[in-house]
Amino acid sequence: MSAAALLAETGAIEADTTPFSDYESEAGSELSTESLTSSIRQHYYENGRRYHEKSSGKYHLPSDETEQDRLDLAHHLLTLLRDGDLYKAPLKKRGDPATVLDAGTGTGIWALEFGDQHPGSQVIGVDLSPIQPSWTYPNVKFECDDLEKDWTYQLENFNYIHARTLAFSIKDWPRFVAQCFKHSAPGAFIELAEGSLDGISCDDDTYKGSALEKWSTSLSQCLRKSGIDPSRITGDTLKQSLEDAGYINVQVYPVRVPWGPWPKNNATKYIGAVNQLQLQTGMEAYSLMLFTHFGGMTEEEAKKLNADAFKEVETRKVHGYTYVWNVVGQKPE
Ligand SMILES: C[S@@+](CC[C@H](N)C(=O)[O-])C[C@H]1O[C@@H](n2cnc3c(N)ncnc32)[C@H](O)[C@@H]1O
């Protein structure tokens, strides 16, 4: 059974109880034609991280090279969780979808791989931040735009829309999903992939009282203070949002993601190890702006809490996991 299939089951994940060794932890509405110079000017620095200017107050994660590397690692993790595929939608039976939108494309890694695997598709990757490569395949292009504004694409244009880990980017989720619906062709698929961030799950007693628990509780509190309710993101709420917009045949694929290589089974341990690699900078990426703006922490206090919590992940002290939901729907024919 694959790691993704094992992690999609509901029983407790068995923990590896062999002692931790240090050696192991080593494995452990601008246009895209904008010049590089002007796009670089749209950034600002805070607490040692670079943020995109336009995301100020809207998107709390950095856009610097460290974050770009993390997004590429997260792509590897999220692909493993789809059993090595780029999507769960039933596209293979139908041939290459003619037009594809990767909403909030980040570094564009998914859009590039999709374009490479589907030469019959025209792929557009859109992001607020110009962090995509300037070289692309002939059938892939990148645009810089704010997806929360009115879309200028033709109505009924896209045959497949992919939107991954945008829960905290998009504030007006029903409007975003409604725009996806409006600009999708009849019969088109949509696929959302989001992870839970409202608390970390644990099936034994290793989480209670940990620094990781403090980190996670602080993150949820700060998200709420910043106007984002982290509990709004679950497989069920994502499904409901697609159905409310008019999508049919909505399927939810839940999978658990271990925080660190603590599971006993080697395949799921590997998933935990890849997650650990992206958490190494990801815990700070998610929390630094929130902890210092909404949690009353100094930069040093925020960084210390991140380091203490990450240490527990790295040393397998805490057996935590979160959920990732892939949610697929179809616009009626
Ligand atoms: C966590 S990253 C995910 C990137 C990509 N989907 C992936 O899975 O690799 C979220 C991305 O959404 C972008 N973003 C945030 N707010 C946005 C908005 N209003 N319009 C377009 N992109 C936005 C950010 O710049 C960032 O690149």
Side-chain angles (χ1 to χ4, degrees):
M1 198 185 273
S2 74
L6 283 167
L7 291 166
E9 293 196 330
T10 48
I13 304 169
E14 195 183 351
D16 183 353
T17 49
T18 54
F20 168 79
S21 97
D22 262 353
Y23 173 73
E24 220 174 22
S25 71
E26 300 279 314
S29 68
E30 314 293 332
L31 297 172
S32 52
T33 47
E34 243 175 0
S35 75
L36 186 63
T37 322
S38 74
S39 59
I40 278 174
R41 273 199 235 110
Q42 292 171 345
H43 295 98
Y44 68 97
Y45 289 83
E46 185 181 288
N47 298 326
R49 301 300 302 263
R50 193 188 74 192
Y51 295 85
H52 191 248
E53 185 62 42
K54 279 204 207 133
S55 66
S56 173
K58 288 188 75 185
Y59 181 59
H60 63 264
L61 276 76
S63 64
D64 51 22
E65 284 71 18
T66 305
E67 176 65 355
Q68 292 171 37
D69 287 348
R70 183 190 77 81
L71 288 177
D72 288 349
L73 265 170
H75 166 75
H76 178 53
L77 173 68
L78 292 162
T79 308
L80 286 171
L81 296 176
R82 288 170 171 169
D83 261 327
D85 281 335
L86 290 175
Y87 45 81
K88 300 290 280 186
L91 303 180
K92 288 185 181 119
K93 296 177 196 144
R94 298 173 168 243
D96 295 348
T99 53
V100 176
L101 175 70
D102 185 28
T105 193
T107 62
I109 190 168
W110 182 92
L112 285 165
E113 286 186 15
F114 189 94
D116 188 32
Q117 290 179 18
H118 300 270
S121 300
Q122 293 296 321
V123 185
I124 302 178
V126 180
D127 203 281
L128 206 55
S129 209
I131 54 172
Q132 303 74 38
S134 49
W135 53 267
T136 73
Y137 297 113
N139 62 333
V140 179
K141 72 171 182 170
F142 295 115
E143 296 175 356
C144 286
D145 218 332
D146 183 348
L147 289 162
E148 299 233 84
K149 295 196 171 148
D150 285 340
W151 294 10
T152 52
Y153 304 112
Q154 283 177 4
L155 298 178
E156 305 201 335
N157 186 54
F158 295 108
N159 302 100
Y160 176 51
I161 295 183
H162 178 254
R164 197 173 64 178
T165 59
L166 299 189
F168 301 104
S169 306
I170 303 295
K171 302 296 174 302
D172 190 345
W173 196 256
R175 180 164 182 259
F176 169 72
V177 178
Q179 296 218 74
C180 290
F181 190 83
K182 224 165 68 174
H183 294 272
S184 285
F189 288 97
I190 184 168
E191 180 151 4
L192 311 174
E194 296 296 337
S196 53
L197 262 188
D198 192 20
I200 294 171
S201 303
C202 179
D203 297 329
D204 57 26
D205 56 4
T206 55
Y207 182 60
K208 207 155 178 39
S210 65
L212 191 60
E213 183 184 41
K214 187 174 175 204
W215 180 89
S216 170
T217 309
S218 305
L219 188 75
S220 291
Q221 284 167 354
C222 292
L223 277 167
R224 284 193 174 85
K225 282 192 194 160
S226 78
I228 298 171
D229 175 6
S231 69
R232 72 184 177 146
I233 301 298
T234 68
D236 288 343
T237 56
L238 292 167
K239 179 175 193 264
Q240 191 63 54
S241 71
L242 290 189
E243 288 174 345
D244 289 348
Y247 286 102
I248 56 169
N249 305 329
V250 181
Q251 298 285 329
V252 182
Y253 303 92
V255 59
R256 293 168 295 173
V257 192
W259 281 45
W262 61 262
K264 189 171 182 187
N265 172 281
N266 273 343
T268 54
K269 184 193 283 292
Y270 178 69
I271 301 250
V274 176
N275 192 27
Q276 177 191 309
L277 280 179
Q278 70 91 23
L279 288 170
Q280 190 158 13
T281 63
M283 289 177 70
E284 180 182 287
Y286 268 95
S287 66
L288 192 56
M289 183 187 280
L290 288 171
F291 285 175
T292 53
H293 285 229
F294 299 99
M297 295 186 212
T298 61
E299 177 186 348
E300 291 68 32
E301 286 165 343
K303 286 187 170 169
K304 176 156 190 332
L305 179 53
N306 274 310
D308 290 349
F310 181 72
K311 190 83 193 154
E312 293 173 345
V313 172
E314 195 182 31
T315 57
R316 302 183 314 195
K317 196 173 163 207
V318 176
H319 303 154
Y321 61 90
T322 46
Y323 283 85
V324 165
W325 298 282
N326 281 282
V327 185
V328 178
Q330 187 176 21
K331 185 166 174 171
E333 296 281 356

